[in-house]
């Protein structure tokens, strides 16, 4: 057959259909938007399915991934999924008859195991603008959450009872719930938590004015496993809720009630009396309680080990005295008192005398505590290990020396902060104490403490391992160098010299030479006279140094290079914030420290964003703050 046979002469082979493109003519009627909407309405849609039917479908959806995918379909699906309680879900068969081999198979057991080992899966935190009902509901739909924290709330679409109820239905295994500054959550949401989450162990509500005693009563009745309760700045909470918690929650171990104006002696006394067998930690702050509450604590607090009393203006000396003499605080190990005018020398001495297990005492803004009780306090506290005194203006070095002279052999830590009475004494006492057990000494922001007082520290504390002299602007090399020469028999491990503006490189060099073999933490923030010479001494002698803070010092690129070149130095944390002489020239030296560096602060210097990005690639395991 000829190759031209069947050719029609119009460019198309005979018997072959023409494939010309067909174009719509200009005269064709355009499709209007209204017609398109009508067409979509006429098409089959799940929107036409009643909620009851869709509920039956969704409660049969198995697995976290499938539920999350379903929740993303629409707000309607999300709302329906949020309303499904765990008891209403229909369990799937043990295994599918015909598994889909094209997809990776993940059984419910595997999924549950994954959730247990994934910290993010078991815990959720919503903060600020991200704290909305939609996000909380979506987290609840995934299920199996053990801990949820809501901190703050979106101003327009914040967390309400709807989100809390969805959380309760979706996560019946919830063990910890934190609600901070969530003003739209009411008793209804808390009651739903109580009705569904019977395993709840920890509840923290702060700044929730719509929660009242009614919500706490519901929690008391529905959450028998509750161990820790924190209530702060909740104006609707009064006494009945606390009394119900004490009656019903037999496992309650810790309670903190702060700044609740309607809580008084009835609520505190009722709680402590009922929970006497288990309550181990109590914090009361900013409450209208009187001596009666402290008397109840002293008599019924037989299990209390940690007690904090802060800003209780109506509690007097009699309250503290009765609390101590009631002989109930036999297990008390730690006591903190802040801004309580009732704590006097007599009251403090009584607490020490009748609390035989007391190991830690923290006193802050106690204006009536003076030197008069410190000697007796030291003699009575036979197992005391730590004493912290802050903003107590009547305490002086005379009282502190008397305390150290009479303290027990187990005493380890002394901290004096912002005490204006701590100043140089004109004449030394006849007998200086030698406290060989003291391991940690902190003297911070005491402007009257100068070189004359610092010189005797080495004599009275020969076994120091940690010393913090932050904020002592009057201390110079003349007082610090003798301390280093006398040294510590065991070697200093932690030294804080923040804000000691008068110290120079000579002081740091002496420190490195005397304690370089043991020094692990050194902070020099704000020491404006410290230069590269100190870094040279550190690199030569400090083989154990792990953390170094050089913020706002006069070190430069040369000093950074010296640190990087010290092979025996394995710094994990380094701060160069505010070091204006550290520039982009330090980038290669910092990059060479990739084997050990874990945290690096480069704020407020001249390295530049481009160099920071380059450094992040080199120090990929290091957390860089810039």
């Amino acid at each position: 057959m000829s190759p031209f046979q069947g050719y029609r002469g119009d460019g198309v082979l005979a018997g072959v259909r023409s494939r010309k493109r067909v174009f719509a003519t200009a005269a064709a009627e355009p499709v209007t938007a209204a017609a398109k909407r009508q067409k979509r309405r006429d098409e089959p849609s799940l929107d036409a399915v009643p909620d009851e039917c869709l509920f039956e479908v969704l409660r049969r959806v198995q697995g976290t991934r499938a539920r999350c995918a379903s929740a993303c379909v629409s707000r309607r699906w999300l709302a329906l999924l949020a309303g499904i309680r765990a008891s209403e879900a229909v369990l799937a068969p043990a295994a599918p008859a015909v598994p889909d081999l094209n997809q990776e198979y993940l059984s419910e057991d595997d999924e549950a195991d994954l959730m247990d080992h994934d910290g993010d899966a078991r815990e959720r935190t919503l903060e600020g603008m991200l704290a909305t009902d939609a996000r909380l509901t979506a987290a609840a739909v995934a299920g199996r959450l053990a801990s949820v924290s809501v901190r703050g709330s979106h101003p327009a679409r914040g967390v309400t009872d709807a989100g809390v109820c969805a959380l309760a239905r979706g996560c019946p295994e919830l063990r910890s719930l934190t609600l901070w500054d969530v003003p739209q959550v009411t008793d209804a949401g808390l009651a739903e938590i109580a009705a569904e989450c019977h395993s709840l162990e920890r509840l923290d509500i702060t700044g929730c004015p719509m929660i009242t005693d009614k919500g706490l009563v519901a929690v008391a009745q529905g959450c028998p496993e509750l161990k820790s309760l924190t209530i702060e700045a909740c104006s609707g909470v009064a006494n009945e809720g606390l009394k119900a918690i004490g009656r019903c929650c037999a496992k309650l171990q810790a309670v903190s009630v702060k700044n609740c104006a309607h809580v008084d002696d009835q609520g505190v006394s009722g709680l402590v009396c009922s929970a006497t067998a288990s309550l181990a930690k109590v914090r009361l702050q900013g409450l209208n309680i009187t001596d009666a509450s402290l008397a109840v604590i002293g008599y019924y607090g037989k299990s209390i080990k940690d007690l904090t009393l802060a800003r209780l203006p109506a509690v007097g000396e009699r309250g503290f005295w009765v609390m101590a003499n009631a002989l109930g605080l036999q297990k008390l190990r730690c006591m903190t008192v802040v801004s309580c005018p009732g704590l006097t020398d007599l009251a403090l001495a009584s607490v020490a005398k009748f609390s035989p297990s007391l190991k830690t005492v923290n006193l802050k803004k106690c204006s009536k505590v003076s030197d008069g009780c410190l000697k007796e306090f030291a003699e009575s506290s036979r197992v005391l290990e730590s004493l912290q005194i802050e903003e107590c203006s009547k305490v002086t070095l005379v009282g502190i020396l008397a305390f150290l002279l009479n303290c027990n052999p187990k005493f380890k830590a002394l901290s004096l902060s912002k005490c204006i009475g701590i100043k140089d004494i004109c004449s030394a006492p006849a007998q200086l104490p030698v406290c060989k057990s003291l391991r940690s000494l902190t003297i911070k922001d005491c402007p009257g403490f100068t070189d004359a007082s610092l010189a005797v520290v080495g004599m009275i504390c020969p076994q120091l391992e940690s010393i913090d002299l932050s904020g002592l602007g009057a201390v110079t090399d003349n007082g610090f160098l003798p301390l280093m020469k006398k040294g510590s028999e065991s070697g200093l491990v932690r030294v804080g010299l923040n804000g000691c503006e008068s110290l120079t490189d000579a002081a740091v060099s002496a420190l490195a030479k005397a304690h370089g073999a043991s020094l692990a933490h050194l902070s020099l923030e704000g020491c404006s006279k410290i230069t590269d010479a100190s870094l040279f001494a550190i690199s030569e002698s400090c083989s154990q140094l792990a953390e170094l803070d050089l913020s706002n010092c006069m070190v430069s690129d040369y000093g950074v290079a010296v640190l990087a070149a010290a092979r025996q130095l394995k710094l994990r944390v380094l701060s160069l914030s505010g070091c204006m002489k550290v520039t982009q020239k330090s980038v290669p030296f910092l990059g060479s420290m990739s084997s050990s560096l874990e945290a690096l602060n480069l704020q407020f210097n001249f390295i530049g964003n481009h160099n920071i990005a380059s450094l992040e690639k080199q120090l990929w395991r290091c957390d860089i703050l810039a």
Side-chain angles (χ1 to χ4, degrees):
M1 182 177 180
S2 171
F4 295 99
Q5 188 176 358
Y7 183 72
R8 299 187 324 200
D10 57 356
V12 181
L13 289 174
V16 179
R17 194 172 188 178
S18 175
R19 297 182 179 178
K20 292 184 178 180
R21 188 183 303 272
V22 179
F23 293 93
T25 62
E29 183 180 354
V31 179
T32 64
K36 291 181 178 179
R37 287 195 297 271
Q38 182 63 36
K39 183 179 179 181
R40 284 197 295 267
R41 282 196 294 267
D42 294 339
E43 293 177 350
S45 172
L46 283 175
D47 291 339
V49 178
D51 285 351
E52 293 79 4
C53 296
L54 194 54
F55 179 87
E56 290 298 325
V57 173
L58 292 178
R59 76 190 187 101
R60 288 169 169 79
V61 175
Q62 300 295 317
T64 301
R65 295 181 181 179
R67 288 194 299 271
C68 291
S70 301
C72 294
V73 171
S74 66
R75 289 184 179 272
R76 181 191 178 203
W77 284 41
L78 176 61
L80 287 171
L81 281 165
I84 300 174
R85 292 179 170 85
S87 59
E88 296 172 334
V90 177
L91 298 178
V98 181
D100 185 357
L101 299 180
N102 294 321
Q103 296 182 359
E104 180 182 357
Y105 177 69
L106 186 64
S107 68
E108 280 293 318
D109 292 338
D110 294 334
E111 208 168 68
D113 186 63
L114 175 64
M115 297 289 284
D116 288 336
H117 287 84
D118 184 359
D120 292 335
R122 297 287 291 170
E123 300 180 5
R124 285 290 185 275
T125 299
L126 304 179
E127 297 188 21
M129 299 294 287
L130 299 180
T132 64
D133 271 344
R135 288 182 179 273
L136 184 57
T137 302
V141 166
R144 292 194 179 93
L145 290 178
S147 175
V148 173
S149 297
V150 181
R151 301 174 182 176
S153 188
H154 191 284
R157 303 186 304 277
V159 172
T160 66
D161 288 338
V164 176
C165 290
L167 175 66
R169 298 188 190 105
C171 305
E173 300 175 359
L174 190 69
R175 296 183 180 275
S176 175
L177 176 61
T178 298
L179 300 173
W180 288 0
D181 299 319
V182 190
Q184 298 183 67
V185 174
T186 70
D187 292 333
L190 207 57
E192 192 71 18
I193 291 289
E196 300 293 336
C197 306
H198 302 298
S199 299
L200 191 70
E201 297 179 356
R202 181 181 179 273
L203 177 62
D204 184 343
I205 51 175
T206 298
C208 300
M210 302 301 291
I211 292 179
T212 68
D213 285 341
K214 184 179 179 180
L216 287 182
V217 170
V219 170
Q221 296 173 348
C223 304
E225 301 295 321
L226 192 68
K227 296 179 180 178
S228 175
L229 174 65
T230 298
I231 307 171
E232 180 176 356
C234 294
S235 56
V237 173
N239 298 321
E240 295 305 319
L242 292 180
K243 289 194 284 187
I245 292 289
R247 287 194 306 268
C248 303
C249 301
K251 298 182 180 181
L252 187 67
Q253 297 176 3
V255 62
S256 175
V257 186
K258 301 168 61 178
N259 306 327
C260 295
H262 295 98
V263 173
D264 56 29
D265 291 329
Q266 291 187 22
V268 173
S269 300
L271 173 68
V272 175
C273 289
S274 301
T276 181
S278 61
L279 197 58
K281 185 175 182 179
V282 176
R283 180 184 179 94
L284 304 175
Q285 176 177 320
L287 306 179
N288 295 319
I289 62 175
T290 66
D291 297 345
S293 292
L294 264 64
V296 171
I297 291 173
Y299 186 80
Y300 289 98
K302 301 183 185 300
S303 300
I304 294 179
K305 297 180 180 179
D306 190 336
L307 177 63
T308 298
L309 304 171
R311 293 197 290 109
L312 304 176
V315 174
E317 180 184 63
R318 179 182 176 86
F320 282 97
W321 187 88
V322 173
M323 181 183 73
N325 283 267
L327 303 179
L329 298 178
Q330 298 298 300
K331 295 183 178 180
L332 185 64
R333 296 167 58 91
C334 176
M335 187 179 77
T336 300
V337 183
V338 181
S339 298
C340 289
L343 186 69
T344 63
D345 289 345
L346 174 62
L348 184 60
S350 298
V351 171
K353 183 177 181 180
F354 297 109
S355 301
S357 302
L358 195 61
K359 292 187 176 182
T360 302
V361 174
N362 300 322
L363 307 177
K364 181 177 181 181
K365 295 183 179 179
C366 296
S367 57
K368 295 183 179 180
V369 173
S370 67
D371 294 341
C373 72
L374 290 180
K375 178 181 178 180
E376 185 178 355
F377 181 72
E379 293 174 344
S380 302
S381 303
R382 303 318 305 169
V383 296
L384 189 69
E385 296 180 357
S386 174
L387 175 63
Q388 180 177 335
I389 301 177
E390 182 175 353
E391 295 187 63
C392 297
S393 57
K394 292 185 178 180
V395 175
T396 70
L397 279 180
V398 174
I400 295 300
L401 292 175
F403 173 85
L404 293 177
L405 187 62
N406 294 275
C407 66
N408 68 84
K410 297 180 180 180
F411 188 71
K412 297 179 181 179
L414 174 64
S415 176
L416 306 171
S417 179
K418 299 179 182 179
C419 295
I420 60 175
I422 300 297
K423 58 183 66 175
D424 295 339
I425 52 181
C426 299
S427 58
Q431 182 182 2
L432 279 176
V434 178
C435 189
K436 293 185 177 181
S437 62
L438 194 66
R439 296 291 184 271
S440 175
L441 176 64
T442 298
I443 305 175
K444 295 176 59 177
D445 301 314
C446 297
F449 192 90
T450 66
D451 293 340
S453 300
L454 185 62
V456 301
V457 170
M459 293 188 293
I460 65 177
C461 310
Q463 298 290 339
L464 279 181
E465 296 178 357
S466 174
I467 185 169
D468 190 347
L469 304 176
S470 298
L472 302 185
V475 170
T476 68
D477 293 350
N478 294 331
F480 192 79
L481 291 175
L483 176 64
M484 292 301 100
K485 290 179 181 179
K486 294 170 185 175
S488 170
E489 297 175 8
S490 58
L492 291 173
V493 177
R494 183 184 296 267
V495 175
L497 300 172
N498 297 342
C500 295
E501 301 175 350
S502 300
L503 294 182
T504 68
D505 293 325
V508 177
S509 299
L511 171 64
K513 184 177 181 181
H515 303 281
S518 59
L519 191 63
H521 306 268
L522 175 60
S523 183
L524 300 169
E525 180 182 357
C527 296
S528 55
K529 295 184 179 181
I530 300 302
T531 67
D532 295 337
S534 293
L535 301 190
F536 187 81
I538 289 172
S539 64
E540 276 193 331
S541 305
C542 300
S543 58
Q544 303 298 319
L545 193 63
E547 297 184 15
L548 177 61
D549 189 348
L550 298 169
S551 302
N552 300 310
C553 292
M554 297 302 293
V555 298
S556 68
D557 297 326
Y558 175 75
V560 175
V562 169
L563 288 179
R567 298 303 176 189
Q568 78 279 7
L569 195 61
K570 301 296 180 183
L571 282 177
R572 293 189 294 104
V573 179
L574 175 62
S575 177
L576 297 170
S577 174
C579 296
M580 308 307 291
K581 292 185 177 182
V582 175
T583 68
Q584 60 185 4
K585 295 180 181 179
S586 294
V587 171
F589 305 119
L590 293 171
S592 67
M593 302 171 70
S594 59
S595 61
S596 62
L597 212 55
E598 298 175 2
L600 178 62
N601 188 347
L602 295 177
Q603 291 182 307
F604 313 116
N605 51 38
F606 293 108
I607 290 184
N609 294 334
H610 175 72
N611 293 296
I612 293 295
S614 173
L615 195 57
E616 287 177 341
K617 295 180 181 179
Q618 300 178 61
L619 301 175
W620 58 273
R621 294 186 300 180
C622 179
D623 184 12
I624 300 178
L625 183 62

